């Protein structure tokens, strides 16, 4: 008889939560961070924001939340931290859109 580590009947199991955090949430955070980067980096010499930095840093921006989601021991805390980061970056994008 096979033993199961999941005892509840809900859809959101720890394995699915980890998959959602490491997959779609990590990509969402990376994309939102790329959109909010003009707040972090200064304006370029020609008056244009640096466009290459978000493209070069995208693998790191994706890898950090991915590995955090996969390696975190406390899934509830990982969910709250990653959601908070996504909200902060979305707020940064909103500030950029209203300022321009």
């Amino acid at each position: 008889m096979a033993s199961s580590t999941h005892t509840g009947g809900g859809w959101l199991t720890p394995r699915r939560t980890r998959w959602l955090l490491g997959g779609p949430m990590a990509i969402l955070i990376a994309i939102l961070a790329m959109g909010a980067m003009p707040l972090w980096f200064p304006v370029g010499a020609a008056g244009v924001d640096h466009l290459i930095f978000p493209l070069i840093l995208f693998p790191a921006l994706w890898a950090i939340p991915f590995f955090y989601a996969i390696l975190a021991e406390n899934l509830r805390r990982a969910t709250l931290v990653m959601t908070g980061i996504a909200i902060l970056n979305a707020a940064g994008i909103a500030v950029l859109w209203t300022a321009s």
Side-chain angles (χ1 to χ4, degrees), residues 17-60:
T17 302
R18 204 170 290 279
W19 182 87
L20 287 171
L21 288 177
M25 189 67 158
I27 289 290
L28 178 69
I29 288 173
I31 291 170
L32 288 173
M34 285 177 61
M37 270 194 184
L39 286 174
W40 308 344
F41 287 115
V43 177
V48 179
D49 293 340
H50 295 292
L51 300 175
I52 196 71
F53 288 130
L55 295 174
I56 291 173
L57 292 175
F58 181 77

Side-chain angles (χ1 to χ4, degrees), residues 37-95:
M37 270 194 184
L39 286 174
W40 308 344
F41 287 115
V43 177
V48 179
D49 293 340
H50 295 292
L51 300 175
I52 196 71
F53 288 130
L55 295 174
I56 291 173
L57 292 175
F58 181 77
L61 293 172
W62 169 82
I64 292 168
F66 172 77
F67 285 116
Y68 177 64
I70 299 302
L71 298 174
E73 292 182 17
N74 189 339
L75 280 178
R76 185 168 296 173
R77 182 179 350 152
T79 303
L80 290 174
V81 167
M82 292 178 73
T83 303
I85 291 171
I87 290 171
L88 284 174
N89 283 314
I93 292 171
V95 166

